Amino acid sequence: MTQNEHGAADYQITPPKRKSRAIWWIIGGIVLAVGLLGTCVRGGVKMFAALGERSDASLEFAKRVMEDGPPPMGDEIYAQDFEATQPQIDKVQRIIEHFGQVTEYGTPTCSLRSSANLDKSRSGTFADCVIGIETEHSPGRISINWKRDEEAWKVLGFHVNYLDQSVLLDKADQADRQSEATDADPE
């Protein structure tokens, strides 16, 4: 066994202390945290802008539908996956007419979602918007479903729901009375 100049054996010598690298871990952690926070903020700002854009577009589309009727089948506003026929669109228009003009539109509320599905038509980025309305005969709600189709938002579906169903029941009763009157009067 050899001894060094201090009189200790070689295996008893402690190596010199290394400099602490904790400061670099702290700096790296801070940089990572700032990067993640920036990404989250940027994503939040983009989402907020997209929601605002969909809200405005939904209100514009709702006014168009309620004042001029739903666009005809084949209109460029509809997504490729839009599954309605022209007779169905015409029926929606007739029902809307029974409830009268819209007197007040509420503020649209929208939510965004992205989904992946084996069915291609159910995959993509979607926005679901709801607008409260007041018509001459009933309060209601318009729901508009949007789909991002090749960098443009297209309508995937829309629904107009009225709270007072008696309006349509009254129309049905009138139609029944007219039918009975024609059946009873055989000219």
Side-chain angles (χ1 to χ4, degrees):
M1 180 154 59
T2 60
Q3 291 187 349
N4 63 16
E5 58 193 54
H6 301 292
D10 287 335
Y11 65 88
Q12 293 176 337
I13 299 176
T14 57
K17 290 200 175 217
R18 288 183 3 178
K19 291 183 180 179
S20 173
R21 294 185 183 163
I23 188 73
W24 294 110
W25 282 101
I26 293 170
I27 291 172
I30 291 172
V31 168
L32 182 63
V34 167
L36 288 173
L37 181 63
T39 301
C40 290
V41 168
R42 188 183 72 203
V45 167
K46 282 185 175 182
M47 186 174 77
F48 185 73
L51 286 172
E53 177 189 322
R54 284 303 89 215
S55 292
D56 294 344
S58 294
L59 188 57
E60 182 181 316
F61 182 75
K63 287 180 178 180
R64 176 180 173 189
V65 167
M66 299 309 285
E67 293 169 10
D68 302 332
M73 204 48 214
D75 192 295
E76 65 182 24
I77 191 75
Y78 296 126
Q80 295 172 355
D81 307 344
F82 186 72
E83 295 180 356
T85 62
Q86 189 60 48
Q88 290 170 324
I89 291 173
D90 295 341
K91 183 177 181 181
V92 168
Q93 174 60 29
R94 284 191 303 277
I95 292 172
I96 289 172
E97 289 171 353
H98 287 302
F99 286 91
Q101 293 293 316
V102 175
T103 57
E104 183 181 338
Y105 290 93
T107 303
T109 57
C110 297
S111 63
L112 291 176
R113 61 186 164 86
S114 292
S115 66
N117 195 304
L118 294 176
D119 180 3
K120 182 182 175 190
S121 66
R122 298 175 74 189
S123 295
T125 301
F126 302 89
D128 303 311
C129 300
V130 177
I131 304 167
I133 58 171
E134 289 288 332
T135 66
E136 293 172 345
H137 301 293
S138 173
R141 182 179 71 190
I142 300 172
S143 302
I144 303 169
N145 307 103
W146 298 90
K147 181 178 183 183
R148 188 141 181 116
D149 223 7
E150 298 176 9
E151 301 304 315
W153 287 96
K154 303 286 185 164
V155 173
L156 185 61
F158 67 92
H159 313 278
V160 183
N161 299 310
Y162 296 97
L163 299 178
D164 185 2
Q165 298 304 315
S166 65
V167 173
L168 290 180
L169 292 175
D170 291 344
K171 298 294 180 187
D173 289 342
Q174 288 173 359
D176 288 344
R177 283 192 295 275
Q178 287 176 349
S179 175
E180 289 171 3
T182 1
D183 291 344
D185 187 23
E187 293 181 26

